[in-house]
Amino acid sequence: MPGDQRKGLLVLYAHPNVVVRLQSAILTVDLAPLEAKRVFERIKASRIYPYAADASHALRNLEGET
């Protein structure tokens, strides 16, 4: 979509703050699904709760599970 500036959030996938990484992946998953999936997987594996649970939920949604 013209003017969509969410691509600018993709650089935040490498941010040191887990909340920033999670939120940027959630907001851009439709633009970069494979990259966002990797972010979700890393956050889930980190076991930093509650963010790991949110990432797990996002992975289930991405894979079509409810």
Side-chain angles (χ1 to χ4, degrees):
M1 178 177 237
D4 187 349
Q5 297 184 13
R6 290 179 295 160
K7 288 185 180 183
L9 298 174
L10 298 177
V11 299
L12 297 176
Y13 284 9
H15 196 278
N17 186 297
V18 67
V19 178
V20 173
R21 291 192 311 269
L22 178 62
Q23 289 300 311
S24 62
I26 289 170
L27 293 171
T28 59
V29 69
D30 58 328
L31 298 175
L34 296 176
E35 294 86 351
K37 182 178 180 181
R38 285 193 289 269
V39 171
F40 295 142
E41 289 170 341
R42 286 192 299 266
I43 293 171
K44 179 182 174 184
S46 76
R47 295 182 173 232
I48 300 172
Y49 290 97
Y51 312 110
D54 293 338
S56 179
H57 183 73
L59 283 168
R60 285 193 307 269
N61 287 339
L62 191 58
E63 295 167 357
E65 299 176 20
T66 56

